[in-house]
Amino acid sequence: MRAGEGLGPRRKAARHAWLLAALVVLGGCTAPLTVEQLGPQAAYRRLDRSALSENLPSEAARITLRRRGLLESLDYWPDETIAALHAQTVRDPAAWSDFFALAELSYLRGRQTGSPSRYLASAIYAYAFLFPDAETEDRPSPFDPRLRQATDLYNLGLTTALTPADGDGAAVFRSGPQPLPFGVIDIAVDEDSLRSGGRTLTSFRPTGTLAVQGMQNQYRTPGIGAPMAASVAPPPSPERGVQLAPRLRIPSTALLQVPQARQQLAAGTLHGTLAVHTIFAADSIRISGQRVPLEFDQTATRAYSLVEARAWSNEYRGFLFGDLLEAQQDTNLVGLEPHRRGRMPVVLIHGTASSPFRWADMVNDLTEDPRIRDNYEFWFFSYATGNPIPYSALLLRDSLQTAVQQLGGEAADPALGRMVLIGHSQGGLLARLLTVDAGTRLWDSVSRRPLDELKMDAASRDLIRRSLFVERLPQVERVVFIATPHGGSYLTEFSVTRLIGRLVTLPATLARTSIDALANADALTFDTSQWRPGSLYGMTPGSPLIRALAPLPVAPGVHVHSIIPTLGDGPLAERSDGVVRYASAHLAGAESEAVVRSSHSVQANPAAIEEVRRILLLQLATPCVRDACRPAATVRGAAPAETARQAPRPGP
């Protein structure tokens, strides 16, 4: 007998009533609609969730699929689902916002399959969503979160599409037809865009997926484009004076423009133009009637250049081996970009056992200020820091004079006559030797007789004359001394420091000159048995160089500033930075003096960087007294000279 058979009518009715009551009770346990309160973080994560950060599409894309009746098929037939959504979207002009879902789903599918064509399709769909065919057509609101997500889908999709998985990590730009899941796109590469400052751009390394460690602040300019670090091809012949830094990379971005993308997608025939834009050429571009910023990864590019060049690798070897750098490079002066007319050179001179790498954080911060980026360019001077200070200063002088001549002189660009020297530690002493009129005083500190009366080779006599009989370099208008031992460094008096100094080897030219000079021991003012021809001995308090240089005033017309790091809480006059005492770094007559709580290596200190920024802006606001210089009124963004002259003086 089946269940329920043989029951009377009343019993059947009672059973049905119990079943109905049970269904009502069970139904009441699961409400058809609920509202849940989320915390701020959870709520934001839910709104911000997308295929860019997870393996699931955003809620916006899911809504599109749900409206089109395609959500359930996505997990089982993803390619067919995307194709169906493509077919429905391109036929309906009013469905332009659905291109966002296509961009996100294509990007997600590209990550799942590794297909470059999927990534390229994602970039094209995102472009169609962002840029309508005409100014009158619908476009996303600037408050629509999909706007930034679509931009990122374009940037990352294009980056991955241009970077072969089996390559060396560099992007590849090819003209011709490129496959897409729904057809092909014919891409034309703008070859003219692959040049900057008269030099060819070569290897392009994507930076959008780089993680940088070792620099304090990481800067990027948000916008459209696949950010790249572009290499600059070397010149056909070695450059003298100033040259681009070896293995220099320039912040750039690759941009694929697909004119009337929505119309082309509907027609099924696509073409576009791929071009490279550098940060020095333009920071925005006009697309579909609107001005759009370009995306750059400035810090990642700078870090990539430093890592490739291993800029710190010769710091100690460059101290011990005096001819190391001369043998490795054609010039001691390098720049971060080709010279641009109207940009004043800021020459950065590192200290002992150091390298240009130590300026990385300062330059990284300063170049993010458009007033500085638009009006200055940074040159780095590197030298063998164990060599005698006057000799290194001579190399700096010769390099700067050659650079000015190479660039056409002040007649071609008056900005070349408004140099700013910034020297750290020993580098400050080099800068000082370019800003004084010494006459015979440096020579008189080491010899009782005139140079011409000493017996020595003509080449040695000429080297000594050019190193010690110095005059102000006329192109230098302002100098910043950072932790500079004007009175010497007490650290050089320690026996271990003197022992290290004995390990320094000089270039052959200097070695011969030293032998020639010591052959005239009766004319020299110092004990030749205790003397060693190196920078450590030159920076010893009471050395002939320090005794002669310390009282020399900086030449008229040169603006002087000091940044002095100190440690401890005692009286300022008794403090030091661990290498140089405040009393040694203090320079009477300086226009400003900023005391910064820091150890000797202060270049990355935020207070020191801000003081350098203030000084550079002051330079912009200060009219040049020389006829060749441009008036300050023409400088964009300069601060009034009266307010900028007040130097910040951190408390002791």
Side-chain angles (χ1 to χ4, degrees):
M1 178 183 296
R2 295 182 181 178
E5 289 183 359
L7 296 176
R10 290 185 177 180
R11 294 187 63 185
K12 285 184 178 181
R15 187 164 185 249
H16 290 161
W18 278 107
L19 288 174
L20 180 61
L23 289 174
V24 170
V25 171
L26 291 175
C29 293
T30 306
L33 182 66
T34 62
V35 176
E36 179 184 1
Q37 182 69 51
L38 300 177
Q41 288 181 311
Y44 182 80
R45 282 196 300 267
R46 182 173 179 275
L47 291 172
D48 197 50
R49 183 180 60 199
S50 74
L52 290 163
S53 57
E54 300 185 23
N55 290 321
L56 295 171
S58 66
E59 184 59 26
R62 295 171 68 85
I63 288 174
T64 298
L65 291 172
R66 207 176 280 119
R67 286 191 299 103
R68 299 284 187 177
L70 297 171
L71 181 60
E72 289 74 14
S73 66
L74 180 64
D75 290 338
Y76 301 99
W77 303 285
D79 294 340
E80 292 80 0
T81 300
I82 295 173
L85 180 59
H86 171 96
Q88 294 180 37
T89 303
V90 299
R91 289 198 302 263
D92 183 2
W96 64 272
S97 65
D98 290 355
F99 283 119
F100 173 81
L102 284 167
E104 187 180 6
L105 297 172
S106 296
Y107 182 84
L108 180 60
R109 192 61 179 144
R111 196 166 63 219
Q112 293 169 344
T113 64
S115 169
S117 66
R118 288 289 178 186
Y119 284 114
L120 184 57
S122 175
I124 295 170
Y125 285 135
Y127 191 96
F129 173 78
L130 292 167
F131 306 116
D133 295 342
E135 294 185 40
T136 56
E137 291 188 359
D138 292 327
R139 66 184 68 207
S141 162
F143 298 101
D144 189 336
R146 295 178 300 173
L147 179 70
R148 184 62 236 181
Q149 289 181 344
T151 304
D152 291 336
L153 288 167
Y154 174 90
N155 296 351
L156 290 170
L158 183 60
T159 296
T160 311
L162 294 174
T163 311
D166 57 352
D168 61 355
V172 176
F173 304 148
R174 288 194 301 264
S175 291
Q178 306 294 329
L180 294 168
F182 49 83
V184 297
I185 178 172
D186 190 24
I187 297 178
V189 176
D190 182 355
E191 299 292 340
D192 291 338
S193 72
L194 304 183
R195 294 184 63 81
S196 177
R199 304 278 285 274
T200 301
L201 302 178
T202 55
S203 171
F204 297 88
R205 297 282 175 169
T207 58
T209 54
L210 290 182
V212 177
Q213 295 182 343
M215 297 186 77
Q216 293 181 149
N217 300 317
Q218 298 187 28
Y219 297 104
R220 58 183 289 271
T221 301
I224 194 75
M228 303 278 173
S231 288
V232 182
S237 58
E239 294 177 327
R240 310 303 300 180
V242 62
Q243 68 175 17
L244 293 183
R247 297 180 177 85
L248 173 69
R249 288 187 178 271
I250 295 177
S252 308
T253 197
L255 185 68
L256 174 64
Q257 289 189 259
V258 186
Q260 296 184 309
R262 299 176 186 177
Q263 182 177 329
Q264 288 199 61
L265 284 166
T269 303
L270 287 85
H271 62 85
T273 302
L274 183 66
V276 173
H277 303 268
T278 70
I279 198 171
F280 303 129
D283 58 6
S284 63
I285 190 171
R286 194 163 189 82
I287 304 177
S288 187
Q290 58 182 316
R291 179 60 60 178
V292 183
L294 294 168
E295 176 127 343
F296 298 104
D297 283 337
Q298 302 93 288
T299 300
T301 301
R302 294 168 192 143
Y304 207 108
S305 295
L306 291 169
V307 168
E308 286 192 317
R310 295 188 58 81
W312 56 86
S313 61
N314 283 330
E315 290 185 343
Y316 294 105
R317 294 177 67 218
F319 169 74
L320 294 173
F321 302 102
D323 59 353
L324 177 68
L325 298 181
E326 294 181 28
Q328 288 185 347
Q329 55 197 43
D330 299 308
T331 180
N332 297 73
L333 199 63
V334 298
L336 291 180
E337 57 175 299
H339 174 69
R340 295 177 290 160
R341 190 181 188 281
R343 270 66 174 180
M344 291 176 279
V346 177
V347 184
L348 300 169
I349 314 156
H350 62 76
T352 307
S354 188
S355 71
F357 168 71
R358 302 301 166 181
W359 299 105
D361 279 306
M362 179 177 287
V363 173
N364 188 46
D365 281 359
L366 292 176
T367 50
E368 288 306 304
D369 188 326
R371 298 167 296 178
I372 292 175
R373 186 172 62 243
D374 291 347
N375 293 286
Y376 291 101
E377 59 191 31
F378 291 88
W379 296 355
F380 300 85
F381 179 73
S382 55
Y383 60 105
T385 58
N387 283 340
I389 294 169
Y391 175 73
S392 297
L394 172 62
L395 295 181
L396 172 60
R397 179 186 300 269
D398 288 349
S399 296
L400 292 175
Q401 288 177 326
T402 303
V404 171
Q405 181 181 13
Q406 167 196 326
L407 296 171
E410 295 172 71
D413 187 354
L416 294 173
R418 303 200 67 188
M419 284 187 190
V420 179
L421 303 184
I422 303 179
H424 174 256
S425 194
Q426 182 188 162
L429 294 177
L430 270 61
R432 189 162 181 193
L433 283 167
L434 269 62
T435 58
V436 297
D437 295 318
T440 65
R441 279 170 285 191
L442 294 180
W443 173 249
D444 293 342
S445 70
V446 298
S447 175
R448 302 183 186 91
R449 299 206 303 265
L451 177 61
D452 290 337
E453 294 183 10
L454 270 59
K455 297 179 181 179
M456 62 177 56
D457 182 86
S460 297
R461 194 186 313 276
D462 179 66
L463 181 59
I464 291 175
R465 179 174 286 110
R466 293 192 300 125
S467 300
L468 296 179
F469 295 79
V470 297
E471 297 178 350
R472 170 203 173 181
L473 186 67
Q475 289 81 14
V476 175
E477 187 172 300
R478 197 173 296 268
V479 60
V480 183
F481 297 114
I482 302 179
T484 298
H486 299 289
S489 169
Y490 68 88
L491 202 63
T492 61
E493 298 178 299
F494 295 166
S495 57
V496 64
T497 307
R498 292 181 177 273
L499 177 61
I500 294 173
R502 292 175 181 270
L503 301 177
V504 173
T505 60
L506 299 180
T509 302
L510 274 181
R512 285 195 305 270
T513 301
S514 298
I515 293 172
D516 281 354
L518 293 175
N520 298 271
D522 60 316
L524 302 180
T525 62
F526 52 89
D527 183 357
T528 58
S529 65
Q530 300 296 321
W531 176 77
R532 293 292 182 277
S535 62
L536 292 185
Y537 295 88
M539 287 186 288
T540 302
S543 71
L545 176 66
I546 292 297
R547 286 201 316 269
L549 185 58
L552 282 179
V554 172
V558 178
H559 301 279
V560 181
H561 306 272
S562 292
I563 299 175
I564 304 177
T566 65
L567 298 169
D569 298 317
L572 183 60
E574 299 177 6
R575 292 189 213 161
S576 79
D577 61 14
V579 177
V580 178
R581 290 190 174 92
Y582 168 83
S584 176
H586 172 74
L587 190 63
E591 294 183 16
S592 68
E593 178 181 287
V595 179
V596 177
R597 190 170 297 277
S598 170
S599 61
H600 187 65
S601 297
V602 69
Q603 301 97 308
N605 184 285
I609 294 172
E610 285 307 304
E611 173 65 357
V612 171
R613 185 196 311 275
R614 185 198 69 82
I615 293 169
L616 294 180
L617 295 179
L618 173 61
Q619 169 82 351
L620 291 181
T622 304
C624 180
V625 298
R626 304 168 67 196
D627 292 337
C629 299
R630 58 183 178 174
T634 64
V635 179
R636 179 168 69 90
E642 290 76 11
T643 59
R645 287 184 190 278
Q646 302 301 317
R649 297 288 295 267

